[in-house]
Amino acid sequence: MSDHEYVPKSKFGKWFNDRLPLLTLASHLTDYPTPKNLNYWWTFGGILSFCLIIQIVTGLTLAMHYIAHADLAFESVEHIMRDVNYGWLIRYVHANGASMFFLAVYIHIFRSLFYGSYKSPREIIWIIGIIIYLLMMAAAFMGYVLPWGQMSFWGATVITNLFSAIPLVGEGIVNWLWGGYSVDNPTLTRFFTLHYLIPFLILGLVVLHIWALHIPGNNNPVGIDVKKPSKDTVPFHPYIVIKDAFALLMFMIVFAFFVFYSPNILGHADNYIEANPMVTPAHIVPEWYLLPFYAILRSVPDKLMGVVAMLSAILILAALPWLDTSKIRSAVFRPLYKQFYWILLADVLILGYVGAMPAEGLYLLIARVATAYYFIHFLMILPILGFKEKTIPLPLSITEPVLGGFPNAAIVKKRENLD
Amino acid sequence: MKNIFKISYLIILLLAGTSQVTAAEKVELLKTDWSFKGLFGKFDRGSLQRGYQVYTEVCASCHSMKYVSYRNLFEPGGPEFSEDQAKAIAANFEVTDGPNSDGEMFTRPAKLSDKFVMPFANVKAAQAANGGAYPPDMSVLAKARSGGVDYIYSVLLGYEDPPSGVTLEDGVYYNKYMYGNNIKMSEPLSDGLVEYSDGTIASKEQMAKDVTTFLMWTAEPHLEARHKMGFKAILYLIILTVLVYFSMKKIWSGIESEV
């Protein structure tokens, strides 16, 4: 929200802008004052926009050649891989793009957790983000079903069967979802339709996410409010644009390594076997980005409670702005929270690891402890920490710590004495 | 800048970690050097052509390859037979076509545009002829088994007598590397089973390596194009990243902040 009113220079521009203020919007996006101390963890927003666009463009192209039919889907994917010009490239970008999308979104979420970006006045941005994340999981899951390989089929069977845990109506809901009495052609066609729809819902939500962001402006590593515009901020263009471009290029190099040199490493070999309802794979595992939630699901002995736990694990995030009672945003000034943050990160990685392992013996025990800790972190540690923790005094402006990267303890001390 | 290294390091660590989780192996697979691995990996043409020979003389009597066409045999990046050779290969097979103008189905020699002719009419027929086990289609087999080419190579060479105490049913064989150690395919390869026209000695290992190379190509017919393009794409990205880095430094030089 720049203070000065934008006036187009040309007469036509003025005429047009009075009727549809697109030029004002462009000017706002160009001038948008951004804290100048943002670090590289802040570049993942731009990277995520890139991921979404890539998925939509490659997805549209794939949809031109893909056939959503239980008897033809697997073959049509092979047709794309073999006979469509650069079909292999488009499909590998799309398949690995999903993984890269999740990689970026996890970094984005954990950046937000570290710097308290979800706190007032940014709760709505955060909640929209959680909805986007949920839709991403739905889109990714349904996308994985489309090649109609063994893991597609059995993954779909396992996940849709979760709804049968709902008392009384569960079975009915599952049959309704399937469009029959097992995962079959009707399931495939509706998954394809929804897989096509969801990215555009995400796109709309991304617009809202950015709109909501542009009201208070970006949080920053110090986590204090900055005056906008001021000497603490830089205009979005060219400063942030070039920095985001640099980070995006680094990201694309990693992306390219996967696409060109190990395009199948993140997938499961069984998905190159055509779906066969008569043969169950030895281990049914979801894609890596869903593993932590899969571990939570399996760590509860009761099916219904397992589903409830898994859903709660995601939905609890939406309540985070109120569960975290601390007024201090950045973990830099919260010595205790910082420790718990790293423990939580380790906890989620452990959950991801045990999610890929068979649910038995030591793995199951670890999964249970890690699941319990996940909930304890959000439901007990965070609310209490806000009251108990002795935080480090905040600097008055971001210019103070910006030179050293981290707040200079001596300066902070001196200011404390002055106060 | 330090942060970027930290980020990239974390990304690679994370992805490497997750990929290892899924590739948990029990038995150490046999290893051989594959020419198609690595940044500049290419297929060995001779090996592909020999591999095709092994496939067609040994495997093809049971295993179909329904996604591969005869024309693929002369296309760049594959065995690269000449077009005439590929035509001659196709002409050895009979396909059912039709209906013709009289409404009759008829058979004709296969053309380049035809898919590899299948040994059995359907899965049921294949099972009936193979003691109930369906010999899997080989088009994408090299990608459809965890362990990939190393696994296939190992299974081909992994036949041994069952350890004492293990009794096998009729028509079941013991294989050190096969999942569950039981396999319904009898040992397919033996020394000198085929006669290579290029003079290569057809040892069991040689044939296993050749046919596995061939299977990698049928699973990834554009592997060479992918490697070639990957090198160019990544080189381009690295150069562009360096240029953008210095542009960024220049743009931010007036700002009292680190990038």
Side-chain angles (χ1 to χ4, degrees):
Chain A
M1 303 281 118
S2 43
D3 293 335
H4 63 94
E5 190 71 21
Y6 171 77
V7 184
K9 285 191 189 75
S10 74
K11 220 173 161 191
F12 172 74
K14 200 171 168 326
W15 177 89
F16 184 87
N17 204 47
D18 285 345
R19 283 148 186 83
L20 181 67
L22 276 184
L23 295 171
T24 304
L25 177 67
S27 149
H28 161 75
L29 292 177
T30 316
D31 297 341
Y32 173 66
T34 318
K36 65 181 180 186
N37 62 337
L38 298 187
N39 56 34
Y40 281 97
W41 300 112
W42 258 267
T43 58
F44 282 87
I47 287 170
L48 282 162
S49 312
F50 167 80
C51 288
L52 179 62
I53 302 295
I54 285 291
Q55 289 306 86
I56 289 178
V57 172
T58 52
L60 285 174
T61 321
L62 289 173
M64 293 173 192
H65 302 281
Y66 171 77
I67 304 168
H69 189 285
D71 295 338
L72 303 170
F74 191 86
E75 191 184 336
S76 74
V77 171
E78 279 309 311
H79 165 69
I80 291 169
M81 291 300 289
R82 286 158 198 277
D83 298 332
V84 173
N85 292 332
Y86 298 103
W88 57 268
L89 176 64
I90 297 164
R91 175 163 174 266
Y92 278 155
V93 168
H94 195 74
N96 287 283
S99 281
M100 300 312 288
F101 205 158
F102 273 93
L103 176 69
V105 91
Y106 282 128
I107 294 174
H108 194 62
I109 291 172
F110 273 95
R111 186 270 291 159
S112 191
L113 291 179
F114 189 84
Y115 294 110
S117 301
Y118 48 85
K119 291 183 192 182
S120 172
R122 297 185 180 82
E123 301 94 324
I124 299 293
I125 312 173
W126 171 256
I127 290 170
I128 293 172
I130 296 299
I131 299 171
I132 293 174
Y133 174 50
L134 268 172
L135 286 176
M136 274 175 66
M137 288 199 275
F141 159 67
M142 288 191 267
Y144 197 56
V145 175
L146 301 184
W148 212 241
Q150 273 291 68
M151 219 32 92
S152 300
F153 182 89
W154 291 99
T157 303
V158 168
I159 299 297
T160 49
N161 252 318
L162 294 179
F163 290 90
S164 71
I166 303 168
L168 300 174
V169 291
E171 287 293 329
I173 289 180
V174 173
N175 289 343
W176 176 71
L177 286 174
W178 286 342
Y181 296 100
S182 66
V183 173
D184 206 340
N185 196 48
T187 327
L188 177 59
T189 49
R190 67 191 55 187
F191 275 21
F192 177 58
T193 311
L194 294 173
H195 183 73
Y196 206 118
L197 168 71
I198 291 174
F200 296 98
L201 298 181
I202 294 177
L203 187 63
L205 285 165
V206 166
V207 171
L208 295 184
H209 192 67
I210 296 172
W211 186 359
L213 168 71
H214 280 228
I215 303 299
N218 291 71
N219 183 28
N220 64 77
V222 182
I224 59 172
D225 292 327
V226 289
K227 266 213 207 81
K228 296 174 295 277
S230 71
K231 65 177 175 41
D232 287 347
T233 66
V234 289
F236 190 78
H237 184 75
Y239 295 97
I240 303 300
V241 169
I242 189 83
K243 193 173 166 181
D244 276 359
F246 171 62
L248 174 62
L249 283 164
M250 300 278 284
F251 182 81
M252 284 171 76
I253 292 172
V254 178
F255 196 156
F257 261 104
F258 278 99
V259 168
F260 292 110
Y261 292 108
S262 39
N264 293 307
I265 199 164
L266 297 168
H268 199 292
D270 278 14
N271 228 27
Y272 279 108
I273 304 172
E274 193 169 0
N276 184 351
M278 313 304 281
V279 180
T280 318
H283 296 289
I284 302 175
V285 278
E287 292 268 73
W288 67 268
Y289 39 79
L290 302 176
L291 288 173
F293 298 107
Y294 193 55
I296 291 175
L297 170 78
R298 295 192 305 178
S299 68
V300 183
D302 180 70
K303 191 177 179 186
L304 178 60
M305 292 320 287
V307 175
V308 170
M310 182 177 69
L311 284 177
S312 317
I314 303 165
L315 293 179
I316 206 169
L317 293 172
L320 184 59
W322 297 276
L323 289 171
D324 185 347
T325 49
S326 174
K327 292 278 176 286
I328 309 296
R329 292 195 193 104
S330 175
V332 172
F333 302 97
R334 301 183 61 190
L336 276 178
Y337 173 72
K338 203 197 247 172
Q339 313 273 331
F340 285 116
Y341 170 85
W342 292 112
I343 298 173
L344 177 73
L345 181 60
D347 187 63
V348 172
L349 291 176
I350 289 169
L351 278 171
Y353 177 77
V354 292
M357 296 292 137
E360 59 199 22
L362 188 61
Y363 292 128
L364 188 59
L365 182 70
I366 295 173
R368 287 185 172 154
V369 173
T371 300
Y373 182 79
Y374 181 89
F375 286 103
I376 290 170
H377 175 89
F378 288 107
L379 292 175
M380 290 172 67
I381 294 173
L382 283 189
I384 296 171
L385 209 57
F387 297 109
K388 298 281 184 200
E389 187 178 31
K390 193 163 168 5
T391 55
I392 298 169
L394 294 172
L396 290 181
S397 80
I398 62 167
T399 353
E400 195 176 278
V402 88
L403 297 169
F406 280 99
N408 185 327
I411 299 177
V412 175
K413 271 267 162 55
K414 214 158 67 193
R415 192 174 310 277
E416 235 177 309
N417 295 339
L418 286 175
D419 291 346
Chain B
M1 200 60 201
K2 231 168 47 190
N3 274 330
I4 304 161
F5 288 123
K6 257 195 262 170
I7 297 176
S8 339
Y9 179 70
L10 202 81
I11 290 172
I12 288 161
L13 205 73
L14 205 78
L15 292 172
T18 47
S19 56
Q20 267 162 19
V21 169
T22 45
E25 231 99 278
K26 283 184 196 98
V27 205
E28 188 78 19
L29 295 175
L30 295 177
K31 299 269 189 273
T32 182
D33 17 302
W34 302 110
S35 63
F36 48 82
K37 297 237 159 147
L39 291 191
F40 304 101
K42 275 183 176 180
F43 291 114
D44 171 352
R45 297 291 157 236
S47 187
L48 279 182
Q49 296 197 356
R50 291 193 299 272
Y52 171 72
Q53 191 186 344
V54 176
Y55 165 73
T56 199
E57 288 180 17
V58 183
C59 323
S61 53
C62 298
H63 290 274
S64 62
M65 200 168 258
K66 58 183 175 183
Y67 301 124
V68 182
S69 307
Y70 294 108
R71 66 180 157 80
N72 296 140
L73 290 173
F74 73 86
E75 283 169 357
E80 297 187 3
F81 288 108
S82 70
E83 191 172 340
D84 289 333
Q85 280 173 312
K87 268 184 187 154
I89 287 171
N92 289 333
F93 298 90
E94 290 270 296
V95 291
T96 308
D97 202 348
N100 62 15
S101 50
D102 299 324
E104 306 285 340
M105 301 301 280
F106 60 93
T107 56
R108 58 162 175 81
K111 293 185 288 199
L112 287 176
S113 56
D114 285 312
K115 295 264 174 354
F116 275 23
V117 173
M118 300 208 277
F120 300 103
N122 50 56
V123 173
K124 285 271 185 269
Q127 281 173 330
N130 288 283
Y134 169 60
D137 185 85
M138 280 186 160
S139 317
V140 280
L141 197 68
K143 290 195 288 188
R145 295 291 180 274
S146 103
V149 280
D150 290 331
Y151 173 78
I152 291 174
Y153 180 71
S154 302
V155 166
L156 285 173
L157 299 174
Y159 284 84
E160 19 179 85
D161 292 328
S164 56
V166 177
T167 47
L168 297 170
E169 290 172 45
D170 251 10
V172 176
Y173 305 87
Y174 187 85
N175 191 301
K176 196 175 156 193
Y177 301 102
M178 181 78 185
Y179 186 74
N181 295 130
N182 286 357
I183 187 165
K184 286 207 167 180
M185 172 173 73
S186 60
E187 182 164 14
L189 300 176
S190 54
D191 287 332
L193 185 64
V194 300
E195 200 178 319
Y196 285 142
S197 58
D198 65 357
T200 307
I201 293 159
S203 67
K204 217 159 77 166
E205 286 76 15
Q206 184 65 43
M207 285 186 286
K209 188 173 175 178
D210 290 341
V211 79
T212 309
T213 303
F214 180 70
L215 291 182
M216 187 64 215
W217 168 72
T218 61
E220 274 294 299
H222 299 294
L223 179 140
E224 287 189 10
R226 173 155 62 76
H227 284 179
K228 245 184 249 167
M229 187 192 283
F231 179 72
K232 283 187 217 157
I234 289 169
L235 192 67
Y236 171 83
L237 283 172
I238 289 173
I239 293 170
L240 188 61
T241 308
V242 171
L243 293 177
V244 167
Y245 175 74
F246 286 112
S247 311
M248 178 178 74
K249 280 291 185 193
K250 180 98 180 20
I251 288 171
W252 278 78
S253 61
I255 304 290
E256 210 181 63
S257 184
E258 220 185 53
V259 275

